[in-house]
Amino acid sequence: MPELPEVETVRRGLQPVMEGAKIVVAEARRPDLRFPFQPDFVARLQGQIVTGLGRRAKYLMADLASGDVLLMHLGMSGSFRVIKPDNEAAPGEFHYPRGKDSTHDHVLFRMSSGADIVFNDPRRFGYMKVIARSALDDEPLLRDLGPEPLGNEFDAAMLASSCQDKTTSLKAALLDQRVVAGLGNIYVCEALHRSHLSPRRIAATLSTKKGESTDHAKRLVGAIHTVLNDAIKAGGSSLRDHRQTSGELGYFQHSFKVYDREGEVCKTPRCGGTIKRFTQNGRSTFWCPKCQK
C-alpha cells in the first residue's frame, strides 16, 4: 500500500492542474470503490473550485470553495493520471506506458485548467468521500491519526512521550498510525536501519523514566525525516502499482538499505553484517542484526 512519500508525490503531481481550478465535470463510473460513493458525491463536487490540495497521513485532501473537503485514498493499486488537451506526456528514465484498457478508470474530474484527472484502481481498495470541513475533527477516518512525521510538531520529545509506556516493539509502535501518521512497513524498516535501532527494541526505551527523550529517539526522528524527504525527492517507491501522475515510476526502491535486501551485505560503513528478514506482526521486517541494537 502506498505510504506517505508516494501519496505526497501524487499530491505534487495533481496540484498544478487541480489547485485553483473548477471541477467542471465529475463522474463516478461505478457505485462504489472500497466503500459505496455517497448519493450526493457528484453533486457536491461538480462546479466547485479546488482552493487547496493537501495531504494528511496517506490521504489526499482537496479543499472546495463550498466548505467541503474531498478525501481521497489510493488503497493498494489506485493511481491518478493527468490528461492534458494536447496529450502532453513527461516520460523520464523510469517511465512505463499505462495500459490502454480503461475498464478500471472509475472516477474522472474534468478541470477548468483544461486537464482531465482520472482515478484508476484495478483492485478497488481506494476510496473517496466528501466531508464538511467543520466535521473533519469527528471524521472516523481521521480523528485518531497521530502527528505528521514531517510536521513541525513531530520531534524526539513528542515521539518519546507517545512511546513512554509502550511495551510493544519499536517497529510496531512506528506502524501505529496513532503514534505517527503515514509511516508504513518500507520506511519504518529504512528509518530503523539508518538510526541503528533494532525493530525488536521495546518502544518505551525511547523515553527515560522521567519521560524525557533519549538519544535513541533523537536519532530515530532524524532518520525518519531523512528517509521520507529522500523518498519524496525520488518520487516514492515503485514495487508493484505506484505510479506518479505522469505515469513515471518512483525510484526510491533503488536506494533501499535494508528493505527487500535479505542476504546482502549491510551498507553501513565498517559494519560487514548481513541483512536478515523475519516476520513481525504479520509483516516482513528487514534489518542488520550486527549494527541495529
Side-chain angles (χ1 to χ4, degrees):
M1 183 175 291
E3 301 180 25
L4 186 154
E6 289 76 51
V7 179
E8 177 62 21
T9 298
V10 171
R11 187 195 72 80
R12 295 182 183 189
L14 292 176
Q15 190 174 30
V17 295
M18 204 170 190
E19 201 168 78
K22 179 187 291 186
I23 303 174
V24 179
V25 175
E27 293 181 11
R29 296 175 173 174
R30 55 175 298 112
D32 59 5
L33 291 172
R34 183 175 180 181
F35 308 119
F37 287 110
Q38 297 149 294
D40 59 352
F41 178 78
V42 168
R44 291 173 72 175
L45 296 177
Q46 201 153 277
Q48 289 299 318
I49 294 174
V50 178
T51 58
L53 185 63
R55 179 193 53 75
R56 177 72 171 106
K58 301 175 186 179
Y59 294 95
L60 292 167
M61 301 176 67
D63 281 289
L64 307 177
S66 63
D68 283 337
V69 176
L70 171 60
L71 192 70
M72 299 173 280
H73 195 283
L74 296 174
M76 296 180 69
S77 63
S79 64
F80 286 93
R81 72 178 184 272
V82 175
I83 304 171
K84 297 183 180 180
D86 55 1
N87 290 318
E88 177 186 341
E93 183 178 356
F94 298 99
H95 175 78
Y96 282 71
R98 294 179 181 274
K100 298 183 183 299
D101 184 0
S102 61
T103 304
H104 304 300
D105 289 349
H106 300 312
V107 181
L108 177 141
F109 303 126
R110 180 155 292 152
M111 308 301 297
S112 63
S113 60
D116 283 357
I117 298 171
V118 180
F119 181 68
N120 182 285
D121 189 2
R123 301 184 194 179
R124 300 202 307 273
F125 279 104
Y127 48 93
M128 296 186 186
K129 184 177 183 180
V130 182
I131 308 165
R133 173 154 284 283
S134 59
L136 282 181
D137 289 344
D138 297 320
E139 170 54 43
L141 295 170
L142 301 173
R143 66 188 176 199
D144 294 326
L145 290 175
E148 287 287 320
L150 294 178
N152 292 332
E153 63 178 357
F154 181 71
D155 57 15
M158 173 173 281
L159 182 58
S161 177
S162 297
C163 293
Q164 184 175 4
D165 299 317
K166 288 190 178 296
T167 57
T168 58
S169 69
L170 186 50
K171 185 187 177 189
L174 293 176
L175 289 175
D176 186 342
Q177 299 299 294
R178 296 167 297 182
V179 173
V180 55
L183 292 182
N185 197 40
I186 293 173
Y187 299 108
V188 169
C189 287
E190 290 295 310
L192 287 172
H193 180 261
R194 293 185 185 212
S195 57
H196 306 298
L197 297 175
S198 169
R200 290 190 168 109
R201 172 182 283 274
I202 300 300
T205 60
L206 296 185
S207 173
T208 67
K209 292 182 179 180
K210 295 182 179 180
E212 298 173 346
S213 58
T214 64
D215 181 63
H216 301 318
K218 296 172 185 176
R219 293 204 321 260
L220 181 54
V221 167
I224 290 171
H225 287 161
T226 299
V227 74
L228 291 180
N229 282 316
D230 286 351
I232 290 169
K233 290 177 184 177
S237 301
S238 293
L239 299 181
R240 292 184 181 176
D241 299 302
H242 171 62
R243 295 287 190 278
Q244 301 181 58
T245 56
S246 64
E248 293 181 32
L249 292 175
Y251 57 94
F252 187 69
Q253 66 274 14
H254 301 292
S255 299
F256 288 167
K257 304 292 187 184
V258 287
Y259 190 85
D260 206 26
R261 297 286 189 259
E262 182 181 11
E264 296 185 15
V265 176
C266 178
K267 294 184 178 181
T268 299
R270 298 179 296 280
C271 172
T274 301
I275 304 304
K276 303 292 185 182
R277 172 193 172 278
F278 68 97
T279 301
Q280 189 177 24
N281 302 110
R283 307 293 298 276
S284 290
T285 292
F286 297 90
W287 71 310
C288 174
K290 185 173 181 181
C291 70
Q292 289 180 250
K293 304 297 182 180

